[in-house]
Amino acid sequence: MKPQEENKFNNFCFTDFDGRFSARLAAVIPRYFGSEQTKVSGISARYNCRVKVEYQKDLMGLLEEGMLLAVKNFKHGRVGTSRFTLMEISRVWPEHYGLRGLSDHGYYPMQFEIIEQSEEDWLTNDKSTMMIQIDAIPINYDLIINENCDFEFIKGFSYPVVGSPTYVLNSEMINRMYNQKIAEKLGIDPSKTVEDARADPRLGLIKMFEASQTAIPIYVDFEKLIRYHFGVFAFTGGGKSNLMSNILRRILLHTDNTKIVVFDISCEYVFLLLDLLADPTVAAKVIMEHRINSLEQFFNSVVKPKEYEADERIKTGLQQMMDQGKLAYYTRPKQKIPTYSQFLEELDSQRKDAVGKPHYMNAIEKIHDAVLDYVEKHGLSENQKVDEDFVKYIDALALEVIQQFKVHEKSGLYAWATTRTAILDVLRKKQEQEKEVVGGLTAEKIRELLEGDERLLCISISDPFIIKELVITLTQDLLVRRKRRFQVKPYILLVFDEAQEFIPEMGGSAGIDKKCSKQVETILRQGRKYGLGVCIATQRVAYLNTNALQQLHTYFVGTLPRPYDRTVISDTFMIDKTILEKTLEFAPGEWLLSSYIATGIENVPIFIKADNAEKEIEKFLKMNA
């Protein structure tokens, strides 16, 4: 690269930290997929690159893991263009020539003297004695820049030229790389970024160039984030709920055609979304496990961060919610109405007693076919609940069939066929109970709220059995109705905090746990076609249904101390373990973000610092004090 061309690109794309950074690519090391390391962790690149940097005393404070490097590669672009291989810094460390040659077998006083003298060397710019080493991983993108400084990113890996100069992408280029497409879609100017959730849809700041106090915001495409599912993974205290509430807040404030259902088994989102729930312009509903009769009872039912546990200001927001009629409670159905599929399962269970009795089998087949014909003729789904017309129809047909095939009156099939009218009593009792219930919401009424004006439903139920039962019923109903109507919008985001409760690993689950896990997996597999998105958050990735986990297109990873959890993330999302290990250093609120679809550049890990949701709550409490 010519000096004048280098200077032009330095100003536009690259930074040398005011002349401090001078580096060259020293080696490109193949990473073998058959090695022991790759058996226990996923890798996204076939090579690891080693970069050697001339030592400058200030440089170690400026270089950070996650920064992007550019090195010229062997591919030739169009005339007048330069093509660079992009790679992400995974490790930075300084080396001292004297310390590197120090042996534990040497004379002890000499060892101490060399170590003591090296301290003064670090405070100089002595390039002959010291060096900075960088390990970097190709991100499988090439950067092409023409003579007019127009740029584009090309997917794929190109082998870089060993020995060529290495450049650091500057903050403006990083901003354009991650935010340009999304900012244009959202109609915002990233250079005017602010932390206020109502003014700016950013999720936080990219953790680069922090030493120079350069603020680079991070935006995501909310439509793709919702529709293609996302996950939040971190250990207790990592800020999962804080990040989740921030994402949900910005989705509601900066999208028009999106609804959110939070299955809040930990009962903490009433506080975390207090400013939105108390806002009269936001159509919302809080659904508790039991009827709330007083403000004090409501206050005690909400889980709050330690510093807010005794904060009386919260009662003002809760009272506003009660005054606006946003508080309700869940009513479990006392009488269960079977679906068409359950009706068929009951009928199929009679086959065991009918073995060796062909006329009984013929009777069962005739009733079975009649049920399927009825469902098809009326455009119904097998997951829908039966109605009165169906019960009357099938009761008359069953009586006719058992007489036709001479079914014995003491047989189980005869008893089943002659008691179908009992379902009518269940249907009528349910209708009477719904008329009597005041303020209580059934699963069907919750679904009707979503089809109405409500944009935010916070279902705060701490009983695992009750909330799982509701998840199964509500999600089945939503999916079936959208399939039947071929409906995609409005998008509905289903949020599962403490996801290990809802989608546990299938092999070790049984009963309602297994049924709930299977149902949420079904939503993850099929929901994107019908505008049903899923967000899952958990501290123990290892306990999750991996089939469900693999449906996520975007993920936020915080600190995961257990190696097995990191291995699952590495293997499932094909993220390099060396990048993932950086998360062990994260403070609460710091995240590794990567997405196949929702970020400005696909499948490139980004270290970010999320905005603090509690600042929005504190602002609301001060305004209403």
Side-chain angles (χ1 to χ4, degrees):
M1 189 182 292
K2 298 176 183 177
Q4 58 185 22
E5 184 183 358
E6 182 178 346
N7 290 334
K8 181 169 66 173
F9 284 173
N10 254 329
N11 295 332
F12 180 74
C13 300
F14 308 136
T15 178
D16 60 4
F17 298 104
D18 297 324
R20 296 185 182 95
F21 186 83
S22 176
R24 288 186 180 269
L25 179 63
V28 179
I29 307 159
R31 305 175 72 184
Y32 298 104
F33 284 85
S35 68
E36 288 301 315
Q37 179 188 358
T38 59
K39 289 178 183 177
V40 295
S41 66
I43 62 172
S44 60
R46 293 177 294 156
Y47 299 94
N48 188 48
C49 298
R50 177 66 55 84
V51 176
K52 296 186 182 292
V53 188
E54 291 183 359
Y55 184 79
Q56 290 277 347
K57 63 181 181 180
D58 299 328
L59 205 50
M60 279 300 298
L62 297 171
L63 292 172
E64 302 174 45
E65 286 96 341
M67 283 183 169
L68 296 185
L69 305 178
V71 184
K72 273 205 163 185
N73 60 48
F74 285 100
K75 284 192 177 177
H76 298 288
R78 297 180 296 275
V79 177
T81 64
S82 297
R83 185 164 181 147
F84 300 86
T85 296
L86 295 180
M87 52 191 72
E88 184 166 6
I89 296 177
S90 61
R91 193 161 66 109
V92 183
W93 73 99
E95 277 194 359
H96 189 288
Y97 184 79
L99 292 176
R100 190 172 184 182
L102 191 65
S103 171
D104 286 342
H105 304 291
Y107 184 48
Y108 293 160
M110 186 177 296
Q111 289 188 45
F112 279 107
E113 185 176 350
I114 294 171
I115 294 169
E116 186 178 348
Q117 289 179 356
S118 70
E119 182 186 11
E120 297 178 3
D121 293 340
W122 294 120
L123 303 178
T124 69
N125 291 325
D126 187 355
K127 299 181 180 64
S128 63
T129 307
M130 293 162 295
M131 177 194 296
I132 294 175
Q133 302 261 35
I134 292 176
D135 274 347
I137 298 167
I139 63 172
N140 299 321
Y141 275 92
D142 279 3
L143 169 65
I144 299 178
I145 313 173
N146 66 19
E147 53 194 5
N148 297 320
C149 289
D150 296 323
F151 67 92
E152 63 176 319
F153 298 101
I154 304 295
K155 183 78 172 174
F157 172 77
S158 301
Y159 199 94
V161 179
V162 177
S164 61
T166 303
Y167 307 94
V168 179
L169 267 63
N170 63 25
S171 57
E172 291 182 12
M173 191 63 180
I174 294 293
N175 200 342
R176 286 191 289 262
M177 181 176 176
Y178 287 121
N179 294 321
Q180 184 168 299
K181 289 191 296 185
I182 296 172
E184 290 173 359
K185 184 175 180 179
L186 293 172
I188 55 172
D189 183 357
S191 65
K192 298 177 181 178
T193 184
V194 292
E195 194 173 356
D196 189 331
R198 293 179 181 269
D200 194 342
R202 78 178 199 190
L203 297 187
L205 299 175
I206 297 175
K207 280 179 59 61
M208 289 188 204
F209 304 100
E210 289 181 306
S212 58
Q213 298 182 340
T214 303
I216 310 173
I218 181 67
Y219 298 94
V220 297
D221 186 323
F222 290 127
E223 181 179 330
K224 292 177 179 177
L225 182 74
I226 295 166
R227 192 167 178 182
Y228 293 91
H229 318 310
F230 65 99
V232 179
F233 312 111
F235 195 59
T236 302
K240 290 190 309 297
S241 301
N242 192 300
L243 173 66
M244 295 263 288
S245 63
N246 234 338
I247 295 172
L248 302 183
R249 179 177 285 103
R250 282 164 168 79
I251 288 172
L252 285 170
L253 292 173
H254 298 282
T255 62
D256 298 323
N257 206 14
T258 305
K259 297 172 183 283
I260 295 174
V261 184
V262 184
F263 294 100
D264 182 20
I265 198 169
S266 52
C267 302
E268 57 186 351
Y269 281 85
V270 175
F271 171 80
L272 291 169
L273 297 173
L274 185 64
D275 55 322
L276 293 180
L277 291 168
D279 189 338
T281 65
V282 177
K285 190 78 75 176
V286 173
I287 302 166
M288 305 297 288
E289 191 170 346
H290 305 290
R291 186 198 297 267
I292 300 293
N293 296 314
S294 67
L295 177 60
E296 194 66 32
Q297 187 183 359
F298 192 15
F299 180 77
N300 293 332
S301 299
V302 176
V303 175
K304 301 167 280 291
K306 189 173 182 180
E307 58 270 26
Y308 287 97
E309 283 179 352
D311 196 327
E312 294 289 320
R313 297 177 300 169
I314 296 171
K315 291 183 177 179
T316 304
L318 300 180
Q319 185 64 58
Q320 290 175 7
M321 290 163 53
M322 295 174 75
D323 294 342
Q324 294 168 28
K326 291 180 176 179
L327 184 59
Y329 65 95
Y330 175 57
T331 302
R332 293 177 67 191
K334 295 181 178 65
Q335 301 283 339
K336 288 194 175 181
I337 301 167
T339 62
Y340 291 101
S341 62
Q342 289 169 342
F343 196 94
L344 289 170
E345 286 171 10
E346 289 178 10
L347 180 59
D348 288 339
S349 67
Q350 299 297 325
R351 293 179 188 272
K352 289 182 279 186
D353 296 332
V355 175
K357 300 175 183 177
H359 56 304
Y360 279 30
M361 295 295 285
N362 291 338
I364 292 170
E365 290 296 336
K366 187 162 185 178
I367 300 172
H368 189 278
D369 291 345
V371 175
L372 293 178
D373 289 342
Y374 184 93
V375 169
E376 185 177 348
K377 181 180 178 182
H378 291 82
L380 303 170
S381 165
E382 291 183 18
N383 288 323
Q384 287 180 260
K385 293 175 181 176
V386 301
D387 57 18
E388 284 195 32
D389 291 339
F390 169 77
V391 174
K392 290 174 181 176
Y393 163 75
I394 210 68
D395 178 62
L397 182 119
L399 290 172
E400 179 186 327
V401 168
I402 62 172
Q403 290 172 6
Q404 178 185 350
F405 290 96
K406 309 297 183 188
V407 176
H408 196 279
E409 61 182 14
K410 291 186 178 180
S411 68
L413 180 58
Y414 185 94
W416 181 87
T418 55
T419 55
R420 294 307 85 204
T421 52
I423 300 174
L424 290 175
D425 295 333
V426 176
L427 284 164
R428 288 162 186 162
K429 282 182 182 177
K430 182 175 181 292
Q431 291 170 355
E432 290 171 9
Q433 288 165 1
E434 286 181 352
K435 290 176 184 176
E436 293 172 2
V437 172
V438 178
L441 296 176
T442 61
E444 188 174 350
K445 286 187 176 179
I446 293 172
R447 191 257 307 153
E448 289 172 0
L449 286 175
L450 284 171
E451 293 179 349
D453 296 329
E454 254 70 18
R455 292 196 65 203
L456 173 61
L457 297 183
C458 186
I459 302 173
S460 293
I461 298 175
S462 59
D463 188 305
F465 184 88
I466 294 175
I467 197 168
K468 288 172 192 175
E469 188 180 57
L470 177 57
V471 165
I472 294 166
T473 306
L474 184 59
T475 54
Q476 277 182 344
D477 203 6
L478 283 170
L479 187 57
V480 165
R481 293 177 73 84
R482 290 217 160 193
K483 280 183 176 179
R484 195 166 66 248
R485 297 176 180 180
F486 302 100
Q487 183 182 356
V488 175
K489 292 187 176 180
Y491 294 132
I492 297 178
L493 177 63
L494 305 168
V495 180
F496 298 96
D497 200 355
E498 305 297 340
Q500 70 276 2
E501 295 286 343
F502 300 100
I503 48 171
E505 200 275 320
M506 292 284 281
S509 304
I512 195 165
D513 291 337
K514 189 169 187 176
K515 193 174 181 181
C516 185
S517 183
K518 191 174 181 180
Q519 178 57 31
V520 177
E521 181 188 332
T522 301
I523 286 287
L524 281 159
R525 288 184 182 279
Q526 302 179 17
R528 72 189 63 150
K529 292 182 286 188
Y530 305 102
L532 298 175
V534 174
C535 166
I536 64 174
T538 184
Q539 58 182 313
R540 284 311 310 271
V541 186
Y543 292 161
L544 296 187
N545 178 343
T546 52
N547 290 332
L549 203 59
Q550 288 168 349
Q551 304 302 315
L552 306 178
H553 280 59
T554 303
Y555 50 95
F556 299 80
V557 184
T559 301
L560 293 170
R562 295 180 177 88
Y564 185 69
D565 288 335
R566 296 197 300 277
T567 299
V568 173
I569 291 286
S570 179
D571 185 51
T572 304
F573 301 116
M574 293 306 292
I575 178 170
D576 282 274
K577 198 173 181 182
T578 48
I579 294 288
L580 202 55
E581 294 293 330
K582 174 67 177 174
T583 61
L584 293 172
E585 305 169 19
F586 281 175
E590 295 180 348
W591 300 90
L592 172 64
L593 162 63
S594 190
S595 176
Y596 293 103
I597 198 164
T599 49
I601 189 161
E602 298 172 8
N603 202 27
V604 176
I606 316 165
F607 296 124
I608 68 170
K609 172 72 174 177
D611 291 335
N612 189 352
E614 288 183 12
K615 289 186 178 180
E616 298 295 325
I617 302 299
E618 186 61 35
K619 191 192 308 178
F620 168 80
L621 294 176
K622 286 180 179 177
M623 288 175 60
N624 290 273

